[in-house]
Amino acid sequence: MSKFQGVVDSIVYRNDENGWTVASIKVDGSKGNIAAVGVMPFLSEGEHAIFDGELVEHKTYGRQIKVTSYETKRPETRSDVEKYLSSGLIKGVRAATAKLIISYFGDRTMDVLESEPDRLSEVPGIGKKRAAMIAASFAEHNGMRGTLMFLQQYGLSPALSMKVYKAFGDTTEKVLRANPYRLVDEIQGVGFRTADEIAMRLGFTRESEFRIRSGIKYVLSEAAGGSGHMYLPMEILAAQSCQVLNAERTLVDRELKGLIMEDQLIAEHVGEDNAVYLPRFHRAERETARLLMKQLKSIRPTKLSDDELLSLIAEYEEKQDVQLCDQQREAVLAAAKEGICIITGGPGTGKTTSINLIIRVMRRMGEVELCAPTGRAARRMSEATGRPAQTIHRLLEYSGEGQGFVRNEDNPLDADIVIVDEMSMVDIFLMRSLLSALRPGTRLILVGDADQLPSVGAGNVLRDLIAAETLRVVRLTEIFRQAGQSQIVMNAHRINRGEYPVIRVRDTDFFLERKDTALKATESVVALVSTRLPKYMGFDSLRDIQVMSPMKRGDVGVFALNQLLQGALNPPGKDIPEIAHGQTVFRRGDKVMQVRNNYDLSWEKDGEEGDGVFNGDIGYIVAVDKKDKLLTVEFDDGRVAEYDDGTLDDLELAYCMSVHKSQGSEFDAVVLPLVAGPPMLMTRNLLYTAVTRAKRLVVIVGREACVRQMVDNNHILRRYSALDLRLREAGKAK
């Protein structure tokens, strides 16, 4: 990193939404101009600026200063002041007006604007009203710029500084000096670590009440985001808070008690746990239980008799030339007769056949809506049933700009029956939103595999619903003959039962390529994806094959494999545009994944426009605008979205993905490197989840001993949640 000083000659480009700027700079002591690029929202022509950044050589545009932060000095010379005032940032001032002001005040122009702005009305041709507008705009611009400079000196990026300014305005410095930890609660994108660093630099002590309280809430938030916990037992919360804060237990206990007394945290007994919740998690869990029981009570018995239902089943069997097992018949009868029911089962147990028949029966009873948590899962559901299916977000009509769902208790869905697939992926907040949008009497059928990994988001919804024993649950366990011919299906069930998969059979859809080191395993993975599987089985390297890893870091982790696979499948080329963002180079043609919900990101599909791209959505980069640092991504379902510097953090390469991120997806071929890893990750249900993502082929690359260790490791990290207990209590009250 280096420092560069110079005068802003011109603003070549600026994105007003995120402040991304390309400026032409006359660098002190250099001949000619050089471009400075970065988030510089308040940089103006004529200003003298000091830039922190790196001098890079751009393939197209030559030398550039890649700016990480900057500070400005007010323009001094008459020509620089004129450029500054003529830049368009100050309302009511253009080139002609700038000349009038400078000719009247001369070298004191900036002093007048800063200290005696009311004197602007003295300038011939500028009336009092216009003078007031110019003065107000100048003051506002100076305030914003001053705030940006203040925040940057404490490590906030210009983009994040803009968000802070929009929240607190001219009071930003006052707010932060009083309590910088407010940033964590009120500004999305600012974490405890950032606020803590600012606080230390502002002189706050490590024993500060604000710090201890913010740290305790941070521990709870991290437990939800990282491990899916709804709450933490008080003892665990206190111990982890002491560790994170490096604080004495007496301090933590005192502030924890204060937070609970002030209702900033909720504490109550949950079974044997003295549970502590963040309020929104507590509300979500209680409301989910309340809404579920309320919905169950509102549903009237079906008018179809058992004989009519059995006749429909027999008619379907004859027409489709299938023979249902007793469990499938039970599932159809339960769906028709119960208000809410759960159908759970592993691969090859006939969930799809059951859903198809349930849809046929339910259409006799009213309007049916099909949905799933992700776009890929919804598309699979639509392909399997031959009927339209959509994401839960689209069903509930998500409204952008943080407004939430259009469909809610005041505006419920026009549906008599709602069928949800891939329920293991549904977290507590999405479940609450779905239940809120059901009108009284609407039936709800929940389908999923309870042995899959739980949702990425907080909660343990499907398992808790089953464990509560207040809803009808039908378990499909019988493997059908056609599915039984698949070694993928057979091995998935063996893994789930704690038995080792059969991997020595020739010419099957499940095999192990033995490699005893990480280096040999990664070489084999790249060869399988880039040449061997496409050559011998006709798979498309990008669209048919998915590499998965249990972990993100390490030689066989997601990050390392993504770099290797990108180099093999989409290497750099003279005619292939690319941009770097952080540690990642994004290139036209890359396979990418959205890694967090972005409810406000706009998309377009076949002339239709909407908002919202969600965690786990997979797409391909179809265009790269290097000048403006923009990417255009087309997702699997046809939606096209544009990413700028402010949203690129939402994207990751997806040549390889974590097993957790694969939930709800299905791929023709899965390549799974398993050499070694931490026991907390290398578990039976993670292996089971990975294997069940494949339709036609599973290739495990690595050590058979590692596979066996995963099967033996049935340690499932407990998710602290209490939806099952709340449902049982509600059921007793009924």
Side-chain angles (χ1 to χ4, degrees), residues 563-631:
Q563 288 193 338
L564 290 171
L565 289 164
Q566 183 191 42
L569 300 174
N570 191 29
K574 184 178 178 181
D575 299 323
I576 303 176
E578 63 180 42
I579 57 174
H581 184 78
Q583 301 299 311
T584 305
V585 173
F586 291 107
R587 201 169 287 141
R588 189 181 65 206
D590 276 339
K591 183 178 184 179
V592 292
M593 176 189 288
Q594 178 81 12
V595 295
R596 60 182 59 87
N597 290 337
N598 186 330
Y599 298 104
D600 300 323
L601 187 62
S602 299
W603 52 261
E604 182 273 332
K605 178 183 177 181
D606 300 328
E608 178 189 359
E609 295 182 351
D611 294 310
V613 181
F614 304 107
N615 193 355
D617 286 351
I618 295 175
Y620 304 87
I621 298 175
V622 294
V624 175
D625 183 335
K626 296 192 293 185
K627 180 181 178 183
D628 296 337
K629 203 175 182 182
L630 300 173
L631 294 182

Side-chain angles (χ1 to χ4, degrees), residues 174-189:
K174 182 180 178 182
V175 166
L176 264 62
R177 290 193 182 280
N179 178 12
Y181 296 98
R182 281 183 63 181
L183 291 171
V184 184
D185 295 329
E186 301 179 45
I187 308 297
Q188 186 177 3

